[in-house]
Amino acid sequence: MKKLVFSLIIMFTLVSFTQAQWITIDSVRKQDANGVSLLLGQTVTVRGVVTTGGELGVPTVYFQVPSAGLVAYDAVFGAAVHRGDSVQVTGVVTNYNGLTELQPVSSHQILATGITTPTPLVVTTNAIRVNGENYEGRLIRINNITSVRSTTTYLPVTQWSVSGSGTNYRIFDGVDSCDIRIYGTSNIANTTIPAYPFSVVALNSQYKTSSPYFGGYQIIPRDLSDIIITSGGPVISSSPVESNITRNSVTLNFTTVSAGDTKVKYFISDSLFQPVVFTDSIYNASQVTSHTVNLNNLLPGKIYYALVSSTNTTGTSSVVKYFSTASPIGSTGAMEVYFNFPVDTTVALPNNKANGSTNFQTRLGQMIDAATSSIDFAIYSFNDLTPIKDKIINAFSRGVKIRIVYDYREGVVQSLMQELIAAGIPVQIRPSSSYIMHNKFFVFNGRDTSAHSTKWLWAGSANITYDQFVSDAQNVILIQDESICNAYTREFEEMWGSHNNVNNPSQAKFGAAKSDNTPHVFNVNGKRVEIYFGPSDGCTAKFINLLNNEPNKSINFCIYSFTQFTIANKMKAKYNLPNLMVRGVFDQSNASNTLYQEMKGIGGSSPWNPPARVYLETFNGLMHDKYTIIDADLMTSNPVVETGSFNYTNAADQGNDENMMFIYDSLIANQYYQDFVKRITDAGGSVDIKRTSFNIPENFRISQNFPNPFNPSTQFKLSVPNNAVVKVVIHDILGRQVANLIDRKVEAGEYTLNWNASSLPSGVYFYQLIADGVKLDVKKMVLKK
């Protein structure tokens, strides 16, 4: 054995003298801000150990050293090498959809054979999803996989069904997930997925078609030996979910793959920087797979840290869970929604007109002036608005503690931010990165331990600049709730790096370095609110889940940037004319956006047919809103609004610092709907009902549709003599309901109602007006195509 080792040493020494000068794979992997190798286009010579053997097709070869991996794409090289070969390869550095490759390969040499391949690096799905660049080209291992799901339906699957060159799936290791690709050339294709939990060894790859090349990471197992059956504890298959949230109690629910006992240890988590010292625990010895734990005698308005675990004869599984109690008495839960552009109050519910054409500068100035204890704010852009800068400095001068987290902005500190720094206000600037600190929130008096009624959150889409407040369409929400303020303060302090007034850059975390360490579900004066921060909390996955479960009638959105096909495809899957409508307004800059063109039905590789009702804004500023409203036009559903700083892009999900909020409330949804109706109308679109007169008619009445016969659109006039829940339903000649045009409470007045029957066949249809449950007019119409 000693002779063999000595011989190998001599061989590598001789080769080093006789072959071209080589560099390390780590050197090739050094990248610019867009994720492209700094050596792009150069011919290099590198060395590593081959980790593939033709499983991915002959041209593709992965090889690595313990610290870094690389891919070569060359048929001659691929046919000549096998797993365990130590190789020296010369080729041109290229970028293939984010994957750094050598292609073409001009020469190669096998230095040794039978070398033990590097040990796979154990990682989590979260590490691959948000920080996959660190593992590109390397062998990795993910343990305790608890679910495999389709990437299109998100439903569980039982077989690795593969078509074409390969098929992607989504694997979960309990609370997070990443993509896995099964190649058609692998013997894994079309085999049964094993019983959970199992582990997988795989190559970490990437497929992202546009710059910056961060994201699109997918792991690739080579053959069936990479699918490893494991055991060890009951395996917690779903993250604990809060329910029955009160000021003094919370219920946690979770499931395990196999039966185990239930244990929860917990304590009040005042900050991210305190030691883990459990003060309370609950134990149930019953061996179950569905676990319910009622935690009582809690303090109101507090964040709790819990270690949730389950044990059986094979071991223990555990996860960390953060949750929050409801706010204490004195915290009102009041919500104020503002839009800086006009809104359409004709679709307002009774006594629920939205605040349109709001002067954001005035309202924010009022909040700053009212602050008595502290102001913490995280902002991407702060400039132009000198009065806001002056008010912040005045607040600081009168003793209000102020902390600011601010984006790096490629090294440029805007002039007004420079003045805040010069005034002595502490500012933490995000380090240079290809991603950005994109948050736009203020927490007022969040650090005051006693004044429950003065703690306010300001959140939404607007940066603090003149254009954003005046020229660009924006939405802002204010919430007076201590628990909500605590969560945003926790996120702020993770970027701030400390729990006190002095920032600690060495502890400050941004982007993929952050953790999922905030509560997500809140009871705000009886209203359910969910909050997620990017990229640690998987905002896109949470939004997909919302779209999967909630819509019954409509999905309406206004968004500045929408390039995330995962979200668009989920909307497409839910789209079902005439029963479930998808409408949206994009910023004008999206005119050539492939996703917009597909939704519009005018371009892309998979245009929607029928197209969604999507439009481009037509005013001079930006359509900078960021919100989606679900079922605001269906009162019998569960209307919900998604809003925050989050654009529907890969960067927002994978690297930017973002916030996303779900608000389950019909009144709040209706206020956002009033803005949406105005935005889509101004952009040249329409919604199904519009108020035409405030005159009060004598009776409920729906007119004969016009035109009649029609193809494919028609209109009705609707008379409502008093506030009522109004429904208009349409049936075909066999009595089957084919559409529900409206189902919500409306104020007295005159309305027009539109219907597009493009998805239905020619024939006779009947429509009926129902008011407060009483069936009224029935009329006939003819669709003639």
Side-chain angles (χ1 to χ4, degrees):
M1 182 65 182
K2 290 182 179 178
K3 291 182 179 179
L4 175 61
V5 173
F6 180 74
S7 297
L8 286 173
I9 292 173
I10 294 296
M11 180 186 71
F12 276 101
T13 302
L14 290 174
V15 168
S16 68
F17 282 109
T18 60
Q19 300 297 323
Q21 184 177 4
W22 58 278
I23 63 174
T24 64
I25 293 177
D26 298 80
S27 300
V28 180
R29 293 219 47 82
K30 290 182 179 179
Q31 299 174 336
D32 63 18
N34 290 315
V36 177
S37 172
L38 296 175
L39 301 180
L40 184 70
Q42 297 187 31
T43 298
V44 300
T45 300
V46 293
R47 291 178 176 177
V49 176
V50 175
T51 54
T52 54
E55 306 91 347
L56 311 183
V58 168
T60 304
V61 178
Y62 282 70
F63 59 103
Q64 71 170 86
V65 293
S67 59
L70 197 58
V71 178
Y73 189 83
D74 184 86
V76 174
F77 177 52
V81 297
H82 304 85
R83 283 195 207 179
D85 288 350
S86 176
V87 296
Q88 178 170 292
V89 190
T90 301
V92 179
V93 179
T94 60
N95 182 295
Y96 176 73
N97 292 317
L99 187 64
T100 302
E101 294 184 345
L102 298 185
Q103 198 275 327
V105 171
S106 56
S107 66
H108 74 273
Q109 182 171 1
I110 300 173
L111 305 178
T113 60
I115 304 298
T116 301
T117 55
T119 302
L121 182 67
V122 177
V123 297
T124 63
T125 58
N126 177 270
I128 295 297
R129 184 176 61 80
V130 303
N131 207 20
E133 204 68 31
N134 289 348
Y135 314 108
E136 183 184 301
R138 300 169 66 181
L139 273 178
I140 56 90
R141 174 171 172 153
I142 298 177
N143 292 325
N144 294 325
I145 294 171
T146 56
S147 180
V148 180
R149 303 182 190 179
S150 164
T151 57
T152 55
T153 67
Y154 271 69
L155 295 176
V157 295
T158 59
Q159 189 174 35
W160 303 109
S161 299
V162 176
S163 61
S165 62
T167 300
N168 280 35
Y169 292 92
R170 196 82 171 168
I171 60 169
F172 291 72
D173 56 357
V175 298
D176 213 324
S177 61
C178 70
D179 277 359
I180 184 171
R181 182 168 181 81
I182 307 300
Y183 267 65
T185 52
S186 168
N187 64 2
I188 305 172
N190 302 309
T191 62
T192 300
I193 295 171
Y196 303 115
F198 65 88
S199 299
V200 63
V201 171
L203 300 156
N204 187 46
S205 187
Q206 184 180 23
Y207 188 83
K208 187 174 187 296
T209 58
S210 60
S211 177
Y213 295 102
F214 298 101
Y217 305 109
Q218 52 188 18
I219 67 168
I220 305 173
R222 299 161 295 179
D223 56 30
L224 281 170
S225 66
D226 282 343
I227 307 296
I228 302 166
I229 309 300
T230 60
S231 62
V235 182
I236 296 174
S237 58
S238 65
S239 178
V241 176
E242 309 95 310
S243 62
N244 304 320
I245 300 171
T246 73
R247 293 187 177 98
N248 304 112
S249 63
V250 171
T251 299
L252 296 182
N253 305 278
F254 66 98
T255 60
T256 50
V257 173
S258 55
D261 63 14
T262 307
K263 187 172 186 178
V264 179
K265 299 190 292 183
Y266 57 99
F267 68 99
I268 293 175
S269 176
D270 290 323
S271 81
L272 293 172
F273 309 100
Q274 66 188 109
V276 175
V277 179
F278 296 107
T279 58
D280 297 277
S281 66
I282 288 181
Y283 178 70
N284 187 328
S286 300
Q287 298 285 302
V288 296
T289 56
S290 295
H291 305 255
T292 299
V293 184
N294 297 311
L295 305 178
N296 299 305
N297 302 313
L298 306 176
L299 294 180
K302 295 294 184 182
I303 294 176
Y304 281 81
Y305 176 111
L307 181 66
V308 179
S309 63
S310 182
T311 301
N312 60 17
T313 56
T314 65
T316 298
S317 300
S318 62
V319 295
V320 170
K321 173 69 179 180
Y322 290 85
F323 65 89
S324 176
T325 51
S327 296
I329 295 173
S331 194
T332 65
M335 296 186 186
E336 301 176 7
V337 178
Y338 297 100
F339 306 94
N340 63 336
F341 274 33
V343 300
D344 189 339
T345 59
T346 65
V347 294
L349 292 173
N351 303 311
N352 193 51
K353 291 183 179 179
N355 297 301
S357 301
T358 300
N359 187 317
F360 283 1
Q361 178 176 311
T362 298
R363 189 67 188 98
L364 180 57
Q366 291 168 345
M367 297 300 299
I368 296 170
D369 289 344
T372 58
S373 174
S374 63
I375 302 174
D376 294 327
F377 70 95
I379 198 72
Y380 170 71
S381 186
F382 185 99
N383 213 16
D384 308 324
L385 298 177
T386 300
I388 295 296
K389 178 265 299 180
D390 291 340
K391 286 180 179 292
I392 291 172
I393 293 176
N394 289 339
F396 184 65
S397 298
R398 68 174 186 268
V400 176
K401 295 178 181 179
I402 298 177
R403 304 182 296 188
I404 303 172
V405 170
Y406 178 66
D407 187 63
Y408 175 75
R409 299 189 61 81
E410 299 182 358
V412 177
V413 178
Q414 294 164 298
S415 59
L416 293 194
M417 185 60 66
Q418 292 180 27
E419 291 190 42
L420 295 180
I421 295 172
I425 297 174
V427 176
Q428 171 67 53
I429 298 178
R430 190 193 208 269
S432 174
S433 169
S434 60
Y435 294 107
I436 58 177
M437 205 298 301
H438 196 245
N439 283 299
K440 312 156 198 321
F441 68 79
F442 286 71
V443 180
F444 295 97
N445 298 323
R447 289 184 275 163
D448 192 322
T449 58
S450 58
H452 309 302
S453 64
T454 66
K455 299 186 178 187
W456 284 87
L457 171 75
W458 166 294
S461 64
N463 289 296
I464 314 303
T465 71
Y466 178 85
D467 282 346
Q468 293 271 283
F469 274 19
V470 177
S471 303
D472 305 334
Q474 306 281 4
N475 61 285
V476 164
I477 185 167
L478 276 71
I479 303 179
Q480 199 287 295
D481 185 81
E482 183 165 331
S483 296
I484 294 289
C485 288
N486 288 344
Y488 275 82
T489 300
R490 172 67 54 88
E491 177 71 6
F492 178 93
E493 290 186 342
E494 186 172 23
M495 298 182 289
W496 183 249
S498 82
H499 187 52
N500 55 47
N501 214 52
V502 179
N503 59 311
N504 185 343
S506 66
Q507 291 191 130
K509 292 181 172 61
F510 295 88
K514 296 191 300 185
S515 302
D516 182 356
N517 49 29
T518 61
H520 297 307
V521 182
F522 300 84
N523 176 357
V524 180
N525 195 26
K527 301 172 185 177
R528 180 183 176 93
V529 175
E530 298 177 27
I531 293 170
Y532 303 99
F533 298 101
S536 59
D537 301 351
C539 292
T540 291
K542 301 301 188 299
F543 190 36
I544 290 291
N545 188 58
L546 180 76
L547 294 173
N548 214 32
N549 296 327
E550 292 299 330
N552 290 298
K553 173 106 186 266
S554 64
I555 301 171
N556 303 302
F557 62 85
C558 283
I559 192 72
Y560 172 64
S561 184
F562 190 173
T563 58
Q564 197 12 306
F565 272 92
T566 304
I567 295 174
N569 288 340
K570 177 53 62 178
M571 290 182 177
K572 186 176 184 179
K574 303 295 290 187
Y575 186 36
N576 180 27
L577 278 177
N579 298 314
L580 198 151
M581 182 68 68
V582 175
R583 309 183 190 93
V585 183
F586 290 77
D587 182 66
Q588 189 67 234
S589 61
N590 288 276
S592 59
N593 176 355
T594 300
L595 185 148
Y596 164 76
Q597 293 184 345
E598 287 199 2
M599 294 185 80
K600 191 75 173 176
I602 60 175
S605 60
S606 183
W608 290 29
N609 184 20
R613 293 186 185 177
V614 294
Y615 303 88
L616 299 171
E617 54 83 10
T618 56
F619 50 86
N620 291 328
L622 301 178
M623 214 302 302
H624 200 258
D625 279 311
K626 307 173 199 312
Y627 65 73
T628 289
I629 321 158
I630 295 173
D631 289 350
D633 47 355
L634 184 63
M635 288 297 292
T636 55
S637 183
N638 185 26
V640 57
V641 171
E642 178 278 320
T643 188
S645 68
F646 192 87
N647 285 305
Y648 304 155
T649 67
N650 287 328
D653 188 53
Q654 296 166 357
N656 291 353
D657 302 297
E658 305 277 6
N659 66 91
M660 173 183 279
M661 180 185 299
F662 304 159
I663 306 165
Y664 295 79
D665 182 73
S666 58
L667 296 179
I668 297 298
N670 176 252
Q671 291 181 36
Y672 276 86
Y673 189 62
Q674 293 171 54
D675 180 75
F676 173 78
V677 170
K678 180 62 173 172
R679 299 288 75 74
I680 196 169
T681 302
D682 287 351
S686 66
V687 293
D688 291 324
I689 185 171
K690 185 172 180 62
R691 191 170 197 163
T692 57
S693 172
F694 286 88
N695 293 331
I696 308 301
E698 293 184 0
N699 301 300
F700 286 102
R701 182 177 180 274
I702 190 167
S703 70
Q704 182 66 51
N705 66 301
F706 178 83
N708 187 35
F710 66 98
N711 178 26
S713 298
T714 191
Q715 187 177 91
F716 315 87
K717 292 183 179 180
L718 188 64
S719 299
V720 181
N722 53 265
N723 297 354
V725 175
V726 172
K727 292 180 65 176
V728 175
V729 294
I730 297 176
H731 295 83
D732 65 15
I733 198 167
L734 298 178
R736 297 171 298 193
Q737 182 175 312
V738 296
N740 183 358
L741 300 189
I742 181 174
D743 182 6
R744 64 178 175 86
K745 193 169 185 177
V746 297
E747 291 184 322
E750 302 281 354
Y751 298 84
T752 60
L753 193 62
N754 299 305
W755 183 44
N756 185 307
S758 58
S759 64
L760 293 173
S762 298
V764 175
Y765 293 86
F766 298 89
Y767 58 98
Q768 182 170 46
L769 170 64
I770 303 171
D772 286 337
V774 179
K775 296 180 179 179
L776 301 171
D777 287 358
V778 178
K779 288 183 171 67
K780 182 173 70 173
M781 58 184 169
V782 177
L783 172 60
K784 189 174 182 179
K785 293 187 175 181

